[in-house]
Amino acid sequence: MTDSISRRRVLAGALALGVGGLSLSAANDLLEDFAPLSGDAWEAADRTLSESVTSPYGEANVTTDNHGVPHIEADGEEAAYFAVGYVQGFDRLFQLDLQRRSMRGRLSEVVGEDLLEGDEFHVSMDFLGAAEATWDELEDTTAGTMLSAYADGVNAAMEREDLPLEFRLLDYAPREWTPVDSLLMDKQIAWDLTGNFDELRRAIIADRLGEDVVEELFPDRMDHETPIIRGEDDVGIASSNDTTSGGLRSAGASVTEWLSRFESPTGVGSNSWVVSGEHTSSGTPIVANDPHLALMTPALWYEQHIETPEASIRGVTFPGIPFVIIGANATGAWGFTNVGADVLDCYEYEINEDGDRYRYEGEWREFETQQRNIPVAGGEDRARTIRKTIHGPVIEREGETVGVAWTGLSATRTAEAIYDLGRSDGVAQALEAFELFDAPTQNAVYADADGRTLYAMTGRLPIRRIDAEVVDGNRLFDGSAGEGEWDGYTPYGESSWDGFVPFEEKPHVVDPDVLATANQRVLDDPDHYVGTAYADPYRGRRIYDVLDERVDDGEPIDPEDHRDLQRDTVDGRASQLVPELSASVNSADSDATLSDELVEAAELLENWEYRMDRESEGALVFARWLDHFASVVFEPQFGDADLDESYYPSDWILATLPEDSEFFAETSRGRAMVDALEAALEEIDDAGWEIYGDWNTTRAIEHPLGVEAGFLNYEELAADGSSATVKNYRVESAVGSGWRMVVEPGGEATGIIAGGNSGDFFSPHYDDQFEPWVNGEYKPMDRTIEGDRELEFVEGST
């Protein structure tokens, strides 16, 4: 669809389908009168970007290419970032406002009390206070100056341009944008990547199923041989500390289950790798990155290109943040994946009967309190009292209380680090930028046009102690006794970070030959405790296998080879499990007659190449079998303990669970496999699925307004990939590789967004990249400017 008329027809069609017996022409008539889709709403169909705008920061030009990417030229950075704010404010204004409302706890103000609990959580955590503390630290820096110019640009777009459709549907207008709002986006990213309460869930499992079950199903280290940094790499770490672990305390089921609703989305991860110029035809290194975050409508990522005398930068950012996060400049290219580090701790306290004081190191202290009001559309406003201890916010649910410390609640310099990275000129300056990166903890890969390569772990890593002894963080600490405190940490203020792992002692590798990250553990034997929330090794192993084979064969690994690897759909779980499943079916068939369908399904899987392709029958059977296998194995005990599938362990643990596990006490492992296959075939038959793409579709990629605005969603398409493939897509959780990028620094560069660069439903760039993304296609991301100028900024007051 390339024009507003076709969009209107879709809306009319959607309305006709929703009202039985309504003709398409009647639906069109009703659209004129039906209040949120009234004539006023249709004014959004004619939104066009102004041709000339005054800017207090000076002249700038914007050229938009045929993929909707703005190319911004300016003689000064402030003028450039004012223009960035303006075009983001035009293209993604509703997304900007929705995200800051989420972090401020103000969604209920426009959508009603359905989202009230989310607002209560965000207010209780006081992410706003953390963003304000960060602005206090950054305001006088060069990055702070650019954040201010960006905010002015967003506000200028709000004032001058027509509002997008969603504001008209919800009948409200956005408030002024501030630099603090951009830093709230910074906090949101960090929370989505590192905000998890694993230790609380582990304690619930231990309480209900026993600590032996936790040790078996949730080991601190998975038994595999595919870390990020392998033995041949020279690792830049220098010191050693022992860690000890203790028993698991429980904060309580009510508060744990409530907090789990707002933690990092399940399955968030990414792929990245860097290959040195020794293995490319050009002699220049290559960087590849595809972050796996929430897939949504509009797309999570926004692509932009900025040309100033200081830098030439192109890549993607999150709407609301002015600086390119993943991308390339004239000298280098960089990307990130999540470490899985433990940077959040929970505390229990002795609290007095009145609930206004907590005990800390032998003394009673008053909680620091703040009053916040949560407006609720169509209902009564809610008053919320924020309570804080020396460690951070205190969360209460149904009489259960837990304190939280998280590195992102302090003032952080990540925005400054990203700004500096865009201006960096080689490995040395990139390393300096990574050192400023406080949160979230990330695996950073970098390469420059001079042939240098780099891996570095970014983000602050806490060191915890109990009675002066270093301990890990995978537990609930006694906050009243001062257990596990982070020296040098100040929530909602400026931290010295004195008690954290020094940057030079965190893992980094200078000039690696081939290095790949896929959220697997960083090192086999790290000198400091990092965490336990690592991904299964399937993606990391596959990437290394493909790259190592090319290196061993002496063949150059050129950009198209990297794109092929990002499109790879081989599922390592299948090669690990299908032979055992086939043997179990054959064994069961020899003991008792199995149905022809069961035997044929096993034969289908035996001849399958383990690729999760949309046209594959084998991929469909395997995907549905694996889910049923997990249910057959874990549901009896977990269900009896009132624990749903969100508490199940990872696929790697399921695949390697031994025959003598207590989970196979009632039935053998082989019998469980056969029973699961029988259940999967019944499900497939009932649903009428024939191939993987019948089940594995993009249906879960939705607009935040939900089913009532389903017409805003992208088209539902059959998709390749799984949670364990390099071409990553997870239909159950709408997580996947929302941005794919392959860059040869100073040379060829390509990328693709999962959707489109515009958030305007009526724009041709709303979804023009969606089908190419599904199909594994790419577009150029050169730092050149071609085409006619679309918008000119002239100097003057706004």
Side-chain angles (χ1 to χ4, degrees), residues 723-734:
S723 64
T725 57
V726 180
K727 186 179 184 183
N728 202 258
Y729 178 64
R730 310 163 197 212
V731 64
E732 304 95 334
S733 57

Side-chain angles (χ1 to χ4, degrees), residues 158-179:
M158 281 189 204
E159 294 169 6
R160 185 179 180 91
E161 307 293 348
D162 290 330
L163 293 176
L165 174 65
E166 291 93 336
F167 290 106
R168 300 172 187 276
L169 294 177
L170 294 175
D171 192 25
Y172 83 97
R175 296 185 179 93
E176 178 182 287
W177 189 267
T178 71

Side-chain angles (χ1 to χ4, degrees), residues 469-681:
E469 185 177 10
V470 173
V471 298
D472 65 39
N474 204 11
R475 67 185 75 200
L476 177 65
F477 290 105
D478 184 346
S480 291
E483 289 183 353
E485 291 183 328
W486 306 348
D487 292 340
Y489 168 71
T490 303
Y492 311 105
E494 184 178 351
S495 294
S496 70
W497 308 110
D498 290 340
F500 288 65
V501 178
F503 180 72
E504 60 271 15
E505 293 179 14
K506 286 184 286 191
H508 60 273
V509 184
V510 178
D511 292 321
D513 192 43
V514 174
L515 187 142
T517 84
N519 316 113
Q520 75 271 42
R521 70 171 176 268
V522 179
L523 282 168
D524 281 337
D525 297 300
D527 287 344
H528 295 281
Y529 169 74
V530 176
T532 61
Y534 298 122
D536 289 349
Y538 300 112
R539 289 179 288 112
R541 176 180 289 177
R542 176 63 178 171
I543 294 167
Y544 266 131
D545 284 349
V546 171
L547 294 177
D548 288 346
E549 182 178 358
R550 293 296 295 258
V551 169
D552 291 343
D553 289 345
E555 299 180 27
I557 312 173
D558 290 332
E560 185 61 20
D561 300 312
H562 293 266
R563 290 189 283 270
D564 283 343
L565 183 49
Q566 287 185 334
R567 291 185 281 248
D568 189 273
T569 60
V570 172
D571 194 319
R573 301 171 303 179
S575 59
Q576 189 178 25
L577 286 166
V578 165
E580 183 183 3
L581 170 60
S582 298
S584 297
V585 170
N586 292 334
S587 176
D589 194 34
S590 65
D591 296 334
T593 302
L594 299 180
S595 68
D596 291 343
E597 291 80 6
L598 211 61
V599 175
E600 290 171 2
E603 292 175 352
L604 173 70
L605 291 173
E606 285 179 8
N607 296 317
W608 173 50
E609 296 182 344
Y610 307 148
R611 293 187 177 275
M612 306 301 285
D613 294 335
R614 69 191 84 171
E615 300 296 332
S616 170
E617 297 177 53
L620 172 65
V621 173
F622 175 74
R624 303 315 309 131
W625 169 79
L626 186 59
D627 283 349
H628 284 285
F629 184 41
S631 295
V632 169
V633 173
F634 298 123
E635 198 281 330
Q637 290 194 44
F638 278 72
D640 288 346
D642 197 25
L643 298 171
D644 62 25
E645 62 272 11
S646 68
Y647 285 86
Y648 290 0
S650 73
D651 291 339
W652 176 266
I653 297 300
L654 173 63
T656 58
L657 201 63
E659 179 72 46
D660 60 0
S661 168
E662 68 172 88
F663 288 92
F664 297 120
E666 300 299 323
T667 186
S668 69
R669 181 177 166 93
R671 185 68 246 179
M673 287 185 159
V674 174
D675 290 346
L677 182 59
E678 191 170 24
L681 294 177

